[in-house]
Amino acid sequence: MRQKFIENGYEIVEFEKKADIYVINTCTVTNMSDRKSRQIIRRVKDNNKSAILAVTGCYAQVAKDELDKIEDIDIVLGNNEKKDIIKYVENFTNKKENIVADIMKEKCITEFEVAAYTEKTRAVIKIQDGCDRFCSYCIIPYARGRVRSRSIKDIVNEIIEISKQGIKEVVITGIHIASYGKDFKEDIGLIDLLKEINKIEGIKRIRLGSIEPTLIDEKFIKELVKLEKICDHFHLSLQSGCDETLKRMNRRYTTKEFENCTNLIKNNYPNVALTTDIIVGFPGETDKEFLKTYQYLDKINFYKMHIFKYSPRKGTKAASMENQIDGNLKETRSNKLIELSNKNQEEQNEKYIGKELEVLFEEQEGEYIKGHTTNYIMVYVKTDDRSIENAIKKVKITGIQGENLIGSLNPLFLK
């Protein structure tokens, strides 16, 4: 949306400054997200009472009637309508507009949604939207709709253009990328797309965003390992290490199936970094269930875990479940898992000391230049040589600083 405004001759200013148009792109993943969105909305017109205020995004999609009651809002747009935000803003006639279509009826991904977010060294490529999983704690299917996939041709053409800009890495992302292609008539899946991306000249790395563990089976991994540009970092969304909790979450796999998935990956990618998401304090999570999760996570030995305290989300099945967990207990459990995650990361970082790793350098930070390895570990090298930005170089790891690695340059560039 920002880019659309710039292309149409608008000047972008800092949020706290006076502007003629304000756009709030909301999140709705938790009730806290909704509250923060409302707080920001109410602050906007303190800067300029006559400004046009447009609210869009996921909260707008699922709570259009609620937002309609907030007097300061001029335009409410759903996720599909925000691609036309310039039109709605320029045609605004001081009469409140609420344009939110039923996203569950959408069958095609909208053109606006496919624009890549490009950084200096990598581009984030959205390959699909929507989710059909309906986990009991999640509002996202109602905010983003059913699975809608972009064509392989469109994605490949976009990445070819990106590669011409000198971008070396693409991150494949979406709401549920494991579902890519399920809405096509043809038998096409994520692996078919990755094979085509792997052929594109100039792209050196293909990084997968969060993936569903059920995607990884022997057939998939056998094909994936043939693609030399695939990065050895996999973010597998687990959520709990206890089968009883997983069942209440409607996650559709068992801890045994998840473990088989991680073993397949480890056997094929020896330096892999596995990361995950965990929810603590899900309704009904007993001390025994939490202990099962802790022990399971200790066994899997993830490189890093993102720990979230369960937050009830209005409109989801889990919000009305019995045995909601006390906030203090959630905090205690969260801290225990964070400690485990930090220990795992520290121990795994130590094994890289003295080894040589390939690093794609991104930007200068003080007297260091930093970049990521293929398995997404941040490496800092002390140098003022800005010419190595967006270059892949071999680095000998000499130490650890916090969560990151410290290294020294090998003069050999990798082609």
Side-chain angles (χ1 to χ4, degrees):
M1 286 185 286
R2 186 178 191 273
Q3 190 62 35
K4 284 283 187 184
F5 277 106
I6 292 172
E7 290 172 0
N8 282 272
Y10 290 84
E11 178 188 356
I12 307 298
V13 298
E14 294 297 320
F15 184 77
E16 297 299 336
K17 293 184 178 179
K18 184 177 180 180
D20 299 307
I21 302 164
Y22 291 89
V23 179
I24 311 296
N25 193 28
T26 60
C27 174
T28 194
V29 73
T30 64
N31 287 339
M32 178 65 75
S33 305
D34 292 352
R35 187 159 73 244
K36 286 182 177 180
S37 294
R38 290 193 298 270
Q39 289 171 349
I40 295 171
I41 288 166
R42 291 190 171 101
R43 281 170 44 203
V44 164
K45 291 208 172 177
D46 290 342
N47 292 333
N48 184 3
K49 294 290 183 184
S50 62
I52 297 173
L53 171 56
V55 178
T56 185
C58 290
Y59 182 36
Q61 184 66 50
V62 300
K64 62 177 183 177
D65 294 339
E66 192 174 318
L67 291 178
D68 212 27
K69 297 174 184 176
I70 299 179
E71 187 176 337
D72 284 343
I73 299 175
D74 299 303
I75 304 171
V76 180
L77 298 176
N79 275 322
N80 270 9
E81 289 72 35
K82 65 184 176 184
K83 69 181 184 301
D84 298 316
I85 190 165
I86 303 295
K87 178 186 75 173
Y88 288 115
V89 165
E90 292 185 343
N91 292 337
F92 181 67
T93 59
N94 291 320
K95 183 179 179 182
K96 190 163 190 169
E97 295 186 76
N98 193 322
I99 308 104
V100 182
D102 184 355
I103 203 162
M104 301 303 283
K105 295 180 180 179
E106 292 294 330
K107 295 182 179 179
C108 298
I109 192 166
T110 57
E111 183 181 353
F112 178 75
E113 292 284 358
V114 305
Y117 172 64
T118 305
E119 300 173 352
K120 290 182 180 179
T121 60
R122 68 169 59 88
V124 179
I125 309 297
K126 185 173 180 179
I127 66 168
Q128 63 83 228
D129 204 344
C131 181
D132 296 343
R133 306 301 284 180
F134 292 94
C135 299
S136 64
Y137 53 82
C138 187
I139 197 70
I140 295 305
Y142 306 98
R144 306 299 271 185
R146 297 285 186 175
V147 170
R148 285 132 31 234
S149 307
R150 295 175 61 192
S151 72
I152 289 180
K153 181 181 178 181
D154 284 350
I155 296 168
V156 167
N157 286 342
E158 181 182 8
I159 297 175
I160 289 172
E161 292 304 310
I162 284 168
S163 70
K164 292 177 182 177
Q165 301 173 31
I167 298 293
K168 291 183 170 62
E169 179 179 311
V170 290
V171 183
I172 306 304
T173 190
I175 300 300
H176 193 264
I177 65 172
S179 295
Y180 176 80
K182 70 170 289 186
D183 52 321
F184 293 153
K185 293 180 180 178
E186 307 90 343
D187 184 17
I188 293 173
L190 180 61
I191 193 66
D192 302 294
L193 171 63
L194 296 176
K195 287 178 181 178
E196 295 304 312
I197 297 174
N198 196 68
K199 299 174 185 176
I200 299 174
E201 291 186 20
I203 298 300
K204 302 296 183 184
R205 294 180 177 181
I206 303 169
R207 193 175 299 284
L208 296 176
S210 178
I211 55 176
E212 189 83 3
T214 52
L215 174 71
I216 307 294
D217 57 20
E218 290 190 10
K219 181 181 178 182
F220 182 87
I221 209 77
K222 183 180 178 181
E223 295 300 313
L224 191 71
V225 78
K226 295 176 185 176
L227 309 180
E228 73 282 358
K229 296 179 183 180
I230 296 292
C231 290
D232 49 355
H233 165 237
F234 294 86
H235 186 84
L236 305 170
S237 188
L238 173 59
Q239 306 303 358
S240 175
C242 170
D243 286 330
E244 293 87 345
T245 311
L246 286 174
K247 188 173 182 180
R248 291 197 302 279
M249 290 178 168
N250 194 32
R251 290 297 290 172
R252 308 190 197 188
Y253 52 79
T254 66
T255 52
K256 180 61 177 175
E257 290 167 339
F258 188 96
E259 186 176 359
N260 291 340
C261 163
T262 62
N263 288 337
L264 273 173
I265 294 172
K266 290 175 183 178
N267 291 339
N268 286 277
Y269 293 92
N271 291 317
V272 70
L274 292 176
T275 56
T276 195
D277 300 318
I278 300 295
I279 296 174
V280 297
F282 189 75
E285 184 186 61
T286 62
D287 289 341
K288 184 178 179 180
E289 288 185 358
F290 175 73
L291 180 60
K292 284 183 181 180
T293 289
Y294 186 95
Q295 292 172 338
Y296 182 78
L297 297 175
D298 194 28
K299 178 172 67 170
I300 299 295
N301 192 25
F302 291 99
Y303 175 75
K304 187 172 185 177
M305 300 182 291
H306 302 277
I307 312 301
F308 301 91
K309 297 185 285 291
Y310 171 73
S311 173
R313 180 61 184 86
K314 183 181 177 182
T316 64
K317 185 177 179 180
S320 59
M321 285 182 176
E322 296 181 352
N323 301 316
Q324 298 285 328
I325 306 300
D326 175 75
N328 291 330
L329 185 54
K330 291 180 190 177
E331 184 74 21
T332 299
R333 291 175 179 175
S334 174
N335 290 338
K336 286 181 179 179
L337 293 188
I338 290 171
E339 286 177 13
L340 177 61
S341 178
N342 291 340
K343 178 178 76 73
N344 289 351
Q345 190 172 20
E346 185 176 342
E347 289 174 353
Q348 292 187 47
N349 277 346
E350 286 175 355
K351 73 181 182 182
Y352 294 110
I353 296 177
K355 293 186 177 180
E356 203 168 56
L357 303 176
E358 297 177 12
V359 177
L360 173 56
F361 285 102
E362 296 160 17
E363 60 182 349
Q364 198 81 23
E365 187 174 300
E367 56 185 352
Y368 291 90
I369 189 166
K370 63 181 182 179
H372 283 92
T373 61
T374 55
N375 54 5
Y376 209 59
I377 300 174
M378 181 71 80
V379 177
Y380 282 76
V381 170
K382 196 171 186 179
T383 179
D384 57 2
D385 182 5
R386 299 294 296 271
S387 69
I388 65 174
E389 284 187 14
N390 200 30
I392 298 175
K393 291 193 74 173
K394 285 187 176 179
V395 175
K396 185 172 183 179
I397 304 304
T398 57
I400 301 171
Q401 183 174 298
E403 296 184 354
N404 309 310
L405 301 178
I406 303 295
S408 58
L409 287 168
N410 183 316
L412 178 64
F413 275 89
L414 299 176
K415 299 295 185 184

